[in-house]
Amino acid sequence: MTRTVLVLNGPNLNLLGTREPEIYGHDTLADILTDLSAHAAHSEVTIVDFQSNTEGELVGRLHEAQGTVDGVIFNPGAFTHYSIALRDAIAGTGLAVVETHLSNIHAREEFRHTSVLAPVCVGVVAGFGRHSYFVALDALLRYLA
Ligand code: DQA
C-alpha cells in the first residue's frame, strides 16, 4: 500500500551539520532526508518534509497534513518541552505522530526530560542520532499496519 509520511522538523534543526555536532552529529537535515526518502521508497512510502523555526508555521503544517498524510515523524526541537499549541494541534488533528529526537532527551538537562507532546503522540523515539528518523519511520509503518 502506498503511503505518505510527513517529516516535520522544528527550530534549529536547519542547523544540523554544524550545530553542536558532538550531540547531533555531522549530517545535515538534507542528508538525513535524502537517505530517509530512499529508505522509504523501498516500502512504497513517499516522504514530504517541512522545517520551520516558527511555532505557528508548524501548527499550520499539521493542520494541512490532516487528511492528506498517513502519519507524521515530528522532531519538535525545543518546542517539545513547552508548546501547548503544538500539543493541541496534534490532538486536534488526530494525526498519528511519532515524536522523534536525535539525542536522548532523558540523559540531558532536566528541562529536556519533559515532553508536553508525548502524551498525544503514538510513540517516542530518542537517542539514536540520525537513525532515530529511520526507527520512527519503521515504527510508524508498523503502527499504521
Ligand atoms: C532535539 C532535543 C531538544 O531538546 C532540542 O531542543 C533540539 C533537538 C533532538 O533532536 O535531540 O532542538 O529535539
Side-chain angles (χ1 to χ4, degrees), residues 11 13 19 24 75 77-78 80-81 100-103 105 108 112:
L13 291 159
R19 174 193 184 196
Y24 299 116
N75 186 343
T80 305
H81 314 299
T100 304
H101 302 281
L102 294 141
S103 65
I105 55 175
R108 300 183 62 195
R112 296 187 203 275

Side-chain angles (χ1 to χ4, degrees), residues 6 8-11 50-65 74 79 83 85-86 89:
L6 171 65
L8 192 57
N9 283 280
F50 182 73
Q51 187 276 331
S52 177
N53 297 316
T54 304
E55 187 180 30
E57 288 186 2
L58 295 166
V59 170
R61 189 64 189 86
L62 286 166
H63 292 179
E64 278 174 32
F74 188 15
F79 288 142
S83 176
L86 285 170

